[in-house]
Amino acid sequence: MNKPIFWFDFGGVLTPPIKAIIYQYQQKTQLPANIMLQAVKDTAAEFGYTGLEPLEIGLISEQEWGIRVKNRLTQLQPNIDTSKADLEHFGRQWFENIQPNTPMIDKVRQLKKAGFTIGLLTNNVREWEAYWRPMINLDDVLDIIVDSCKVGCRKPDQTIFQIAEQQANTTAQHCILIDDTEENCVAAQKRGWQTIHFIDNDQVLKEISYLTANKSLE
């Protein structure tokens, strides 16, 4: 393989920053973000994880997760009003009115047009696919999608990078990850991947331009 594979993260790279989406979710539901995040953390701890891991590796359905989170919310704050939150269909409400990161979507298409292979390497949730795929509208561009909920492991687990290489029929040295989570970038680097830690569009676009101008990638 002469050219590298650009692997894009989904949340926080092809979407607005996660903090911004959390704020929008708080506005939609009127659930205090700190209480919601604690309920999510406590729900994950029941499975020996933190955050969204039980959903992202397919251990639990969105419906069951929503029920558990709602129960935990009422334990944390007995008088909390959850009436505006559809927790059993969390993804539908989470993605409602969220727009893609257009400059990064455009760059993905430009890279594809330039002849690069494009992969999506995402920690995601099975029930959310119906929302995120239409949102980014890249089905005609993506060559490979490696989704944590379908392969049973997630970034920064080294296994998911190995799976990505196998599915792309390539080696670590040909892989470039663009991800907004530094921990994921560090893990990919340990595997032998090149990485771009996403901070903002301007920074990432400059780094991609530098890499694609580098003759060693040809």
Side-chain angles (χ1 to χ4, degrees), residues 83-148:
S83 62
K84 295 182 179 180
D86 187 5
L87 292 164
E88 293 179 43
H89 303 94
F90 179 85
R92 181 170 63 193
Q93 194 170 37
W94 174 260
F95 287 108
E96 183 183 11
N97 296 325
I98 300 299
Q99 300 300 312
N101 182 0
T102 302
M104 204 53 51
I105 297 289
D106 290 345
K107 176 52 67 174
V108 171
R109 291 189 172 278
Q110 290 169 14
L111 288 169
K112 177 67 174 180
K113 189 174 181 179
F116 291 97
T117 300
I118 307 296
L120 184 74
L121 184 56
T122 177
N123 292 343
N124 225 311
V125 177
R126 191 176 301 276
E127 291 89 345
W128 297 1
E129 188 171 10
Y131 309 111
W132 67 257
R133 286 184 79 146
M135 187 181 83
I136 60 173
N137 191 28
L138 288 174
D139 282 357
D140 61 325
V141 174
L142 296 171
D143 296 290
I144 308 154
I145 298 176
V146 178
D147 188 333
S148 64

Side-chain angles (χ1 to χ4, degrees), residues 10 14 17 27 31 46 56 59 64 68 76-77 104-105 119-120 128 137 141 169 176 180 196 208:
F10 169 68
L14 301 181
Q27 296 301 109
L31 291 176
E46 297 173 16
E56 290 174 338
L59 283 180
E64 183 181 350
R68 288 172 179 262
L76 290 168
Q77 192 170 308
M104 204 53 51
I105 297 289
L120 184 74
W128 297 1
N137 191 28
V141 174
N169 191 28
I176 301 170
D180 67 320
I196 297 174
I208 291 175

